[in-house]
Amino acid sequence: MDEELRALTERLRRESGGVPEFERLVATADADGLAAVLTAAGQPLWARELAAFRLGSGRDRRAFETLVLLLNHRDPARCASAARALARLGDPRTARAAAALATNELRVAYALHPVRLLTELRAPEAVPALITTLRRRLTPQDPYGKVALACVEGLGALGDRRARPVLTDAAGYPRLAAAAEAALARLPG
């Protein structure tokens, strides 16, 4: 069992109370059975998360919709596990979905993991989405500093010169200045 699945399993075992159904989902190799959990009525959230993570990590695209919903969940641990599974999934829809979540101003409080996922994916949607999200965070007293910082770091990692103007603006904000200068140094030209 890899480290990510082990950590997820421990968290969800506590959440589920260690019921027999949980142990069955952890042990099963039946992808169809895991996929059935995603669509069956009345399944607890921990069961859907476990099934989606296992399917996504196994590159089974039936997990896509559930993982995207979890990527935008209010619980950061669920978002993080969904992002890890989506990165492994290899579904071509992932970058577009992550970009939509990262740029949704109504859900910006939950944009941290979509931003990080976009950086990891290095997809064509990544740079425009991170620029848009960061530009919106560059206001006095914006409460989403972690999202802004993730955008700055992501833009530096992606190294696309289109990010230069927004990173230059970000360097004027004390909470982002050091990261923005480091990101600017990574840009070509």
Side-chain angles (χ1 to χ4, degrees):
M1 181 181 301
D2 73 14
E3 183 60 29
E4 292 170 347
L5 180 58
R6 188 189 62 70
L8 174 80
T9 301
E10 288 177 11
R11 178 173 57 81
L12 295 181
R13 180 175 281 117
R14 287 188 302 273
E15 187 177 324
S16 72
V19 297
E21 177 64 9
F22 172 82
E23 299 302 334
R24 185 189 70 75
L25 289 174
V26 169
T28 189
D30 177 17
D32 290 336
L34 290 170
V37 170
L38 301 180
T39 57
Q43 291 294 317
L45 186 56
W46 61 260
R48 292 184 196 282
E49 182 180 0
L50 180 57
F53 184 89
R54 294 205 50 220
L55 288 168
S57 295
R59 300 181 63 87
D60 188 319
R61 290 187 179 172
R62 293 177 287 184
F64 176 77
E65 288 83 6
T66 302
L67 289 171
V68 169
L69 290 171
L70 292 169
L71 182 62
N72 197 33
H73 197 274
R74 68 184 175 274
D75 179 356
R78 291 196 202 287
C79 298
S81 69
R84 286 191 295 273
L86 282 164
R88 292 178 179 171
L89 181 60
D91 191 300
R93 301 171 291 175
T94 300
R96 189 171 54 241
L101 293 174
T103 59
N104 182 343
E105 198 61 14
L106 297 176
R107 301 288 293 171
V108 69
Y110 310 111
L112 180 62
H113 292 285
V115 164
R116 289 180 177 162
L117 178 59
L118 282 167
T119 302
E120 183 176 351
L121 294 174
R122 304 185 75 82
E125 296 89 345
V127 171
L130 296 184
I131 289 171
T132 297
T133 303
L134 178 56
R135 174 88 39 221
R136 292 174 180 165
R137 306 284 57 86
L138 297 181
T139 61
Q141 310 304 317
D142 181 79
Y144 306 108
K146 288 182 181 181
V147 173
L149 183 59
C151 288
V152 168
E153 292 170 345
L155 289 167
L158 293 170
D160 189 304
R161 63 177 38 122
R162 293 176 291 173
R164 186 172 303 283
V166 74
L167 288 172
T168 300
D169 291 347
Y173 289 79
R175 66 177 188 218
L176 301 173
E181 292 296 336
L184 283 163
R186 297 177 76 179
L187 298 184

